[in-house]
Amino acid sequence: MKESISEAADLIMKSEYLTALTGAGISVESGIPPFRGENGLWSKYDPGLFEISYFVSNPEESWELIKKLFYATFKNALPNAAHQVLAHLEQRGILKLLITQNIDGLHHSAGSRSVIEYHGSTRCLVCLHCNKKYERSEEKITQPLPRCECGGVLKPDIIFFGEEIPFQAIYGVQEAIENTDVMLVVGTTGEVFPASLIPVEAKRRGAKIIEVNTQPSSFTYDTTDVFLQGSATKLLLALEKEMEKF
Ligand code: ZN
């Protein structure tokens, strides 16, 4: 493991355009339950409740569930050391872009600014009628059914099942992949399409892939160059420390 950490640190410090892709695994240590897996949300709730068609036909029921599952948990969650290491890497000019599948906003709370939230974010609300966006506010989300000034129903600005990834996110990621020479993949096992294609496509274009996961994933054997197995906070802190040697 020590050797792999030094290999990963070497790749990062020599990179010209480092990008990162993060998933639920990075936020688990902030107390946010993942969607998948044994104790994931989908083992307790029907994912059908997060189909966009269900939201449109039952917005009040959907909002009640969203408040309970997301806002109540996210409100008290703090970024952990792994989020912070990624924010430091951006501040030092090493990490150029962070792509996250997470909707919890913790990368922003940690100070990351160059972020594409691939599945949207609970930090904002969007009007189903006129597309106007609002920052999330207590005043808005404590209403039984949050509404836009135009009267339209507001939806959390997250990608529901059955919704397309916004063009801007797709385009931004594609552009980043073309420039990426090293990609740091943290806490995502590659089960969610099309985000799962991001490391695969970067690899195909010649990038080196460093993977940090607690378990081997669909990337580990075919896509990953350096696999670091263990907790995201421990390993990213170890990586940061190793980089000090450069
Ligand atoms: Zn509106």
Side-chain angles (χ1 to χ4, degrees):
M1 181 60 80
K2 219 173 155 206
E3 242 170 62
S4 305
I5 286 177
S6 111
E7 201 184 331
D10 188 59
L11 281 173
I12 289 174
M13 294 309 282
K14 288 178 181 158
S15 68
E16 304 247 311
Y17 199 97
L18 174 72
T19 52
L21 172 69
T22 66
I26 197 170
S27 291
V28 166
E29 290 173 81
S30 289
I32 294 179
F35 291 100
R36 278 149 222 282
E38 213 178 318
N39 295 313
L41 279 183
W42 299 153
S43 66
K44 301 185 187 100
Y45 296 91
D46 175 6
L49 297 172
F50 293 91
E51 291 279 349
I52 186 64
S53 55
Y54 181 81
F55 181 86
V56 171
S57 342
N58 308 279
E60 274 195 51
E61 289 85 348
S62 291
W63 261 108
E64 214 178 289
L65 192 61
I66 287 160
K67 282 177 208 168
K68 181 172 141 198
L69 292 188
F70 298 149
Y71 295 121
T73 328
F74 295 173
K75 206 164 77 178
N76 300 316
L78 294 171
N80 63 47
H83 297 105
Q84 280 156 0
V85 169
L86 293 175
H88 295 161
L89 282 175
E90 179 190 322
Q91 284 147 14
R92 291 171 64 188
I94 299 168
L95 179 63
K96 305 297 192 290
L97 179 74
L98 173 53
I99 304 156
T100 186
Q101 301 172 74
N102 298 342
I103 56 172
D104 53 39
L106 288 179
H107 286 300
H108 278 87
S109 313
S112 289
R113 288 298 169 262
S114 178
V115 181
I116 291 180
E117 293 173 305
Y118 204 64
H119 293 153
S121 171
T122 50
R123 293 181 302 117
C124 296
L125 309 173
V126 61
C127 174
L128 284 181
H129 182 67
C130 73
N131 273 327
K132 183 171 173 175
K133 282 201 189 191
Y134 295 83
E135 289 266 319
R136 177 178 94 204
S137 66
E138 278 303 304
E139 187 213 323
K140 280 253 181 281
I141 67 164
T142 44
Q143 295 166 16
L145 184 57
R147 285 192 183 272
C148 176
E149 59 189 15
C150 82
V153 169
L154 291 175
K155 178 183 88 80
D157 194 18
I158 55 179
I159 308 300
F160 281 59
F161 293 121
E163 281 192 294
E164 301 281 327
I165 307 284
F167 176 75
Q168 265 176 317
I170 299 270
Y171 182 78
V173 166
Q174 194 50 43
E175 199 184 15
I177 287 174
E178 284 166 25
N179 295 322
T180 297
D181 57 350
V182 179
M183 183 176 280
L184 184 54
V185 175
V186 185
T188 175
T189 51
E191 291 169 83
V192 184
F193 179 85
S196 55
L197 294 181
I198 296 171
V200 177
E201 181 62 11
K203 170 83 172 185
R204 199 181 64 81
R205 301 188 71 103
K208 295 281 185 199
I209 310 294
I210 302 165
E211 177 186 348
V212 177
N213 266 324
T214 52
Q215 298 294 330
S217 72
S218 67
F219 303 123
T220 310
Y221 304 108
D222 297 330
T223 307
T224 298
D225 293 281
V226 182
F227 179 50
L228 304 175
Q229 184 168 4
S231 109
T233 55
K234 265 192 209 151
L235 287 167
L236 288 194
L237 283 171
L239 254 180
E240 188 171 53
K241 196 155 178 243
E242 187 70 21
M243 283 177 223
E244 286 166 13
K245 296 182 186 162
F246 284 79

